Amino acid sequence: MNENTTLLADTDADTTGTTTVSDDAAHRDRAIVNPATGAVIRTVADNTAAEVDEAVRAAKAAFESGPWPRMPRSERARHLLRFADAIEAHTETLFQLETRNNGRPITETRAQLSRVPEWFRYNAGLLATQRDAVLPGDGPYLTYQRRSPLGVCGIITPFNHPLLILARSLSAALATGNTVVVKPSEMTPLTTLALVDILREAGLPEGVVGVVTGGREVGERLTGHPDIAKITLTGGTEAGRAAAVATAARFARVTAELGGKTPIVVFDDIDPVVAAEGAAFAAFVAAGQSCVAGSRFLVQRGIYDEFVEALSARASAIRIGDPVRPETQLGPLISGVQRDKVLRLISTGIQEGVRVAAGGGVPDLSAELGSGYYVQPTVLADATMSMTVAREEIFGPVAVVVPFDGEDDAVAMANDNRFGLGAGVWTRDIARGHRVADHITAGMVWVNDHHRLEPSLPWGGVKESGTGRDAGQESFDDFTWIKTVVVRTAADDVDWYGNAEPGRLN
């Protein structure tokens, strides 16, 4: 387990590096880098397999003999409300820390993380209002259901929205009485560690939430651990597939929110400039590093050229720079590896025939920021659905624009992909908006907006975008198992073999 009580005071270090061997031969210290500058913020140990096992053991002990699962639900709900208040009291510090750790502009981070307490309050409300079902049946019987926590749950979170995605699952897992071991992305563990410190200071009992840090090996050890009752994972499709296989071997539950290639259908009854502004938000927020980022825009031919022109103008005007500055609108990608991947895909698109209408390269910010991992907001026009950039997840600030003719054509193109996480529709014809949303195969569809979410809205996809749902009543319930209780209420006793005509068997 990784304990740390000084994260909120950390500043960027002057050293650079990636992974170094510590004095303890069993550990490696991983450099946590500010992607805007390339400077090391601090080092965090990669936990060993034995330490993952110890974290799970502590969480199991807290579940089996600690107070958390046995608390009256009203008391557990009050704890969640206190957690929400404590997070709110530390929000400014958390904004700054997450911005330095993953490079999102401070305005975006503040807008997103200010909502983290909502998830704890929402799940506290679900807990306070939860009802056990009484089930219909024949004869002198009362049949009802009880819900119980699963046990120790593992939560594996990504680099792009580390605190918000953690809050979605953690608040539901805690509300329902589970204990938790969290593995944040090895690139962005800092706000997760800080959050757990905040929760402990606010009264979270010992052992209820632990954190393990490190890369793939740590995640695999947690996912495959026999005492983990459920894994909630947000990440790539291959990681989700591996988690599904590992949990299936012991019939553990898994919720996996994975990759996406979000189609956004733009019809010619909407002002192309209005649609382009919405498209820019969908494509470039978080530097495009979102599973539901608008990455393929299917635009009706009647407004295609105007849309491309308007989107290109907006992309070219976006202010790129240091994410800690309030005027910055686009920050860096998370790493040099990710930047190189995005640039390779842009190059592949050019080779396959796209037209670079805006961006396409690396901005020159060396004098201001040194070696940050930036890519210009990029618009790739005149693409076709057979091109690599129209089919593969890019995970960077790249909008691919494809023309279409009619509504049926648009729906077919939207569904022509192995992913099915999010989708968008832009139209002034509200009937068409509902109709197209109904026909698109995706877990979430926005009409005339994008990225909108609430604690009450189930979040997840279909096809290779994953399984299960995060947030909402569905997530809350999935952290429990159901026990059905059948009570005979008849005045006489059961005497099957003594009755001449015993009647119904079961």
Side-chain angles (χ1 to χ4, degrees), residues 19 28 31 38 69 71 125 131 145 147 157 173 193 198 231 237 249 257 278 291 301 314 395 412 415 424 429:
T19 302
R28 291 186 305 169
M71 273 184 192
R131 293 184 178 185
Q145 289 181 333
R147 287 188 175 270
T157 59
L193 292 164
I198 291 167
I231 285 288
T237 296
E257 191 239 287
C291 295
R301 289 190 193 275
R314 167 49 67 199
F395 229 65
N415 290 334
D429 182 341

Side-chain angles (χ1 to χ4, degrees), residues 251-264:
F251 301 103
R253 295 189 187 180
V254 62
T255 293
E257 191 239 287
L258 309 175
K261 188 65 177 174
T262 299
I264 298 182

